[in-house]
Amino acid sequence: MEKLFLYNWHVRNHWLKWCESLTEKQLRQERTGGVGSIFQTLFHVIDAEYSWLRCVRELADDAVSFEQIRTVGDLRELSEKYMEENHAFLRAWTGEAELEQVYVPWSGETFYKGEIIRHVIAHEIHHVGQLSIWSRDLGMAPPVSANLIGKGLYQ
Amino acid sequence: MEKLFLYNWHVRNHWLKWCESLTEKQLRQERTGGVGSIFQTLFHVIDAEYSWLRCVRELADDAVSFEQIRTVGDLRELSEKYMEENHAFLRAWTGEAELEQVYVPWSGETFYKGEIIRHVIAHEIHHVGQLSIWSRDLGMAPPVSANLIGKGLYQ
């Protein structure tokens, strides 16, 4: 599973860097589908990954609120901070706890840890697929290919 | 890894069913981003998954050509046929061969089997993210949520 997170983070870093080339309007404009703007969608994937993995770790959610993140720089900083914490957890994840269940306070349901981990992976890839269309709508090529192969994840 | 394929297939089946409610024009119209139309994008994910997994299985590619698939019914039939074959392979996949390398004729490169399997998973999720935007562009809600949780994959 770790490789799929490394893929997501590699791709995310390219999108975050690309955001620096956008105007505030391009970044904040409400778009068709997804969770709103490009900025908000990227915040959402970063925030969701952290919150869900905190859940798997059986820790209380302490994610920051959207209002605290004002600039692309804030977003990158948040992403890096969360990635570091998530990576430490994922490196130690052996899969033995896949079928342990955890209660998810914001949904009021119980899910398997392995299910949540896969949910988080798919969640980011799905939203990045949406970003790829929005970048084309802005007349720009996506800043990074969606290919998992060729990203040096297995070197 | 099998669960992520089951997720993709569950989601794909909903999109294929949704295609039956579209007009030929909606289905075939060239869209912004992705690989062309809704029809062609769905063909592409079905075809790519099969071809890449044949590669992992060290079998020659024998995927059908796009011209042979004329209707949504053809596409569903193809998807089901390939899923069955792919599922038999994935059920038996223990991960022991993750770091075996295979030569990929259409790219002229060599990749790890585990890398290809993850590539295929991410590939479909990415394209489905694009479909979700295109459905909104058509004024329709996506026919299936992108959530991996709550799809009964762990029951």
Side-chain angles (χ1 to χ4, degrees), chain A residues 1 3 32 52 111-112 114-115 118-119 122 125-126 129-130 132-134 136-137 146-150 154, chain B residues 1 3 7 32 52 111-112 114-115 118-119 122 125-126 129-130 132-134 136-137 146-150 154:
Chain A
M1 291 302 143
K3 296 284 191 200
T32 307
W52 281 107
F111 297 107
Y112 293 103
E115 187 175 15
R118 284 167 184 77
H119 172 69
I125 304 171
H126 181 82
Q130 299 177 326
S132 77
I133 300 287
W134 293 343
R136 297 275 182 199
D137 284 337
N147 286 342
L148 186 141
I149 48 167
Y154 280 74
Chain B
M1 291 302 143
K3 294 284 190 200
Y7 161 75
T32 307
W52 281 106
F111 296 108
Y112 293 103
E115 187 174 15
R118 286 167 183 78
H119 172 69
I125 304 171
H126 180 81
Q130 299 177 326
S132 77
I133 300 288
W134 294 341
R136 296 277 182 198
D137 284 337
N147 286 342
L148 186 140
I149 48 167
Y154 281 74

Side-chain angles (χ1 to χ4, degrees), chain A residues 40-99:
Chain A
Q40 200 157 5
T41 297
L42 280 162
F43 173 79
H44 172 65
V45 298
I46 293 164
D47 173 63
E49 176 181 275
Y50 185 68
S51 296
W52 281 107
L53 291 186
R54 291 274 300 183
C55 215
V56 174
R57 294 157 67 200
E58 299 184 43
L59 297 172
D61 187 18
D62 69 349
V64 304
S65 72
F66 182 58
E67 290 65 36
Q68 290 172 268
I69 305 301
R70 299 188 171 273
T71 66
V72 174
D74 291 347
L75 206 51
R76 288 182 75 167
E77 208 176 294
L78 185 74
S79 175
E80 274 159 35
K81 184 177 157 232
Y82 285 177
M83 269 180 204
E84 199 181 320
E85 198 174 315
N86 292 338
H87 199 186
F89 164 67
L90 289 163
R91 263 194 299 256
W93 175 259
T94 59
E96 273 171 44
E98 288 255 335
L99 295 180

Side-chain angles (χ1 to χ4, degrees), chain A residues 17-40:
Chain A
K17 189 153 180 49
W18 172 80
C19 282
E20 291 172 358
S21 70
L22 300 187
T23 63
E24 271 299 297
K25 192 183 162 204
Q26 289 170 328
L27 208 53
R28 308 280 179 176
Q29 194 170 10
E30 192 79 13
R31 310 214 167 257
T32 307
V35 293
S37 65
I38 291 169
F39 189 86
Q40 200 157 5

